[in-house]
Amino acid sequence: KSAASASTAAGWHLASRLYRFPQQPLPLDAVSRSHRHLVSAGYLRSGSVPGTFALCPLLCRSLDKLIYLIHDSMSQLGAQRVTLPMLGSAAMWHKTGRWDALGSEMFRLTDREDRQLCLQPTHEEEVTRLVSMTAQLPLRSLPLLVYQLHWKFRDEPRPKYGLLRARDFHADDACARNTYDQVLKLYSSLLGDTLGLPWIRAVASSGCMGGIESCEFHVLTKPGEDRIVRCADCNEPCRNSEGGRIALPNCLSPAACRAEFLTGLEVGHCFILGSDRYPAAFGLRLIDQNHHRQREQRLLSMACYGIGVSRLLAACAEVASTDTALRWPLAVAPYQLAVVSPKAGAREPRLSTETMAELVQALGDAEFNPDAPLVDDRDQLTIGTRIRDHRLWGLPCSLVVKASVDGGISCEFVDNYQPDRQSERATVASAAEAVAIARTFIASISLK
């Protein structure tokens, strides 16, 4: 069997079959790092409408990884996943008064029965309606935390920076009152610990969402359009869209605070909504049973949490990349490792199909395995040419494998994020040894 047919049977990810677009001139509006690099590397193409995009396979794989991280984090909080309709009725939005409040930002349409509908830019009304359909919500069922990962649409007046400000975007929504602090910790851990992004949490206005209080999560990056004012003494931050000097609500000495201004890109917003707007509009009540065993109905208190998943992914590329090279935090790189064998006809001995299959299987060859490698089977190209492609695609590590004279595996590990770093070489007796070294080498790759 040929190497290609054997790898297909094993479920490998092959560079020769990777659906990519040829190089093309950059769009005139590609002024941010992430937009330029994602277009150049074949991750992203503009849609037929300004502010919309086609996400190509490499970017979809990174998006799937980020979604998996969010799913895993939400499940640890006991959250339950739902999928809510993209279409919403005007009547439902009129109940909370937001049909008029959102204005031109909302895409509106009429169906064949002349019913007014919208492409829902957010889902507080829809999820409140869903939960209120439960006739009796017992106290013991709380906190009820439901979430969804879905596409949203907003008629963004100034779409720019690629996925950083688009008209359609992938987002995570969650609703529950008693898990506010837990979700804030989850978002903080995702941005800082998992993705390694510079971020800040700021007190913010609740706007047309309403509620008691809210806070925003910002990634600190140049294309951000929000100004964050922070006290230089106690680091207390507050969003300041107007650019003027404002008192920081939790500052240790607000009268004498020394304000400094930061530029942030909003990627998440969390609200404590209370019970006045959404639960009251939909009659969302719980059944409480006091010590006299009398049943009492009370309006449910609500909170909601949102994180822009596709925007966060673009922020990862924006922050991690350099002006000349696309890079990713390791957790969301489409492939952490690309496996390369010598060019066909070269003098270097190639691994047998069986040994290559064993190596890739040990690395993780399942379709949705985040550790699965890209097998660069384009053996009509030199090793150097393929590694240059790996750098263009933003893949952190290339592994060059050959057969050693003693029947083992000769490995060379290349750090594509630090081209000046000396590659590491090793000769191992088994695929398991090669995988162990690969994992250690990938973990040592730094974005600094």
Side-chain angles (χ1 to χ4, degrees):
K1 292 193 295 185
S2 68
S5 63
S7 59
T8 301
W12 297 358
H13 300 247
L14 300 175
S16 64
R17 298 191 179 184
L18 182 62
Y19 183 65
R20 296 181 59 257
F21 291 92
Q23 292 280 342
Q24 69 174 34
L26 288 176
L28 295 177
D29 61 345
V31 295
S32 65
R33 275 180 183 173
S34 58
H35 196 180
R36 291 198 314 270
H37 289 323
L38 292 178
V39 170
S40 296
Y43 279 76
L44 191 69
R45 286 295 181 265
S46 298
S48 60
V49 176
T52 64
F53 298 92
L55 277 57
C56 302
L58 282 174
L59 191 54
C60 283
R61 184 165 170 81
S62 286
L63 183 66
D64 285 344
K65 286 190 169 187
L66 183 53
I67 288 172
Y68 174 82
L69 292 172
I70 294 172
H71 279 316
D72 185 59
S73 297
M74 296 302 290
S75 66
Q76 292 180 30
L77 294 183
Q80 301 174 70
R81 186 183 178 190
V82 296
T83 298
L84 302 171
M86 291 186 184
L87 282 174
S89 71
M92 180 179 66
W93 283 75
H94 277 304
K95 283 188 174 184
T96 59
R98 294 210 300 165
W99 180 263
D100 297 321
L102 279 172
S104 59
E105 185 175 309
M106 180 188 285
F107 283 107
R108 304 161 197 258
L109 62 155
T110 305
D111 69 6
R112 66 183 69 194
E113 303 294 335
D114 281 336
R115 287 173 295 214
Q116 286 188 299
L117 309 172
C118 68
L119 287 176
Q120 303 196 79
T122 182
H123 281 82
E124 284 71 34
E125 283 81 358
E126 193 72 61
V127 73
T128 309
R129 176 183 173 274
L130 173 67
V131 178
S132 68
M133 294 170 70
T134 304
Q136 295 182 345
L137 190 65
L139 183 61
R140 64 178 178 273
S141 68
L142 301 180
L144 174 62
L145 177 58
V146 296
Y147 78 103
Q148 71 162 353
L149 287 151
H150 215 328
W151 287 99
K152 293 182 180 292
F153 303 87
R154 293 181 187 172
D155 194 359
E156 172 60 54
R158 299 180 307 279
K160 59 181 178 179
Y161 300 141
L163 294 180
L164 294 180
R165 185 174 285 281
R167 284 179 167 169
D168 57 350
F169 55 97
H170 205 285
D172 168 47
D173 299 296
C175 288
R177 171 65 180 90
N178 295 342
T179 55
Y180 190 75
D181 291 338
Q182 293 172 281
V183 175
L184 297 190
K185 290 179 181 178
L186 184 156
Y187 283 4
S188 301
S189 178
L190 176 66
L191 295 176
D193 300 335
T194 304
L195 300 176
L197 300 174
W199 65 278
I200 193 170
R201 191 176 83 200
V203 177
S205 167
S206 295
C208 70
M209 286 286 291
I212 301 168
E213 66 177 77
S214 75
C215 67
E216 291 176 341
F217 287 83
H218 292 261
V219 173
L220 302 178
T221 182
K222 187 176 181 180
E225 295 185 322
D226 291 317
R227 298 191 77 193
I228 311 299
V229 60
R230 179 171 66 179
C231 177
D233 297 318
C234 64
N235 287 329
E236 179 63 31
C238 180
R239 178 173 172 177
N240 178 27
S241 299
E242 304 303 322
R245 185 179 181 86
I246 58 176
L248 303 179
N250 298 315
C251 182
L252 297 178
S253 55
C257 72
R258 296 184 301 114
E260 60 178 352
F261 293 93
L262 308 170
T263 301
L265 172 72
E266 182 190 343
V267 295
H269 203 154
C270 300
F271 304 84
I272 296 180
L273 299 174
S275 58
D276 290 344
R277 186 172 219 166
Y278 304 93
F282 290 90
L284 181 55
R285 299 176 182 275
L286 61 88
I287 305 300
D288 192 6
Q289 190 169 327
N290 61 27
H291 64 281
H292 295 299
R293 298 189 177 277
Q294 295 175 337
R295 293 158 67 83
E296 177 187 358
Q297 291 193 14
R298 291 186 291 160
L299 280 174
L300 194 67
S301 185
M302 180 177 171
C304 68
Y305 322 94
I307 190 164
V309 183
S310 54
R311 174 183 277 201
L312 177 56
L313 190 62
C316 287
E318 187 71 35
V319 171
S321 299
T322 66
D323 288 336
T324 58
L326 173 64
R327 304 193 309 186
W328 294 102
L330 292 178
V332 293
Y335 294 96
Q336 292 186 353
L337 182 70
V339 181
V340 187
S341 57
K343 181 180 179 181
R347 292 183 178 180
E348 296 100 325
R350 298 165 62 89
L351 292 179
S352 67
T353 300
E354 291 75 16
T355 304
M356 178 67 87
E358 181 185 355
L359 174 63
V360 176
Q361 198 165 28
L363 286 165
D365 67 349
E367 179 64 23
F368 297 108
N369 188 333
D371 294 329
L374 178 70
V375 178
D376 200 334
D377 60 329
R378 302 173 299 158
D379 57 6
Q380 77 279 13
L381 302 176
T382 65
I383 291 174
T385 298
R386 284 177 277 174
I387 290 177
R388 281 193 292 274
D389 280 346
H390 302 165
R391 289 173 178 158
L392 172 66
W393 301 342
L395 308 186
C397 179
S398 297
L399 168 59
V400 182
V401 291
K402 308 171 186 176
S404 64
V405 293
D406 59 359
I409 305 173
S410 174
C411 304
E412 180 181 357
F413 300 92
V414 181
D415 185 342
N416 293 325
Y417 287 176
Q418 302 290 342
D420 296 335
R421 178 182 175 184
Q422 186 72 32
S423 60
E424 293 185 11
R425 292 179 170 83
T427 300
V428 297
S430 67
E433 291 182 62
V435 170
I437 299 175
R439 296 280 175 258
T440 302
F441 186 84
I442 292 170
S444 71
I445 291 175
S446 171
L447 292 172
K448 297 179 180 179

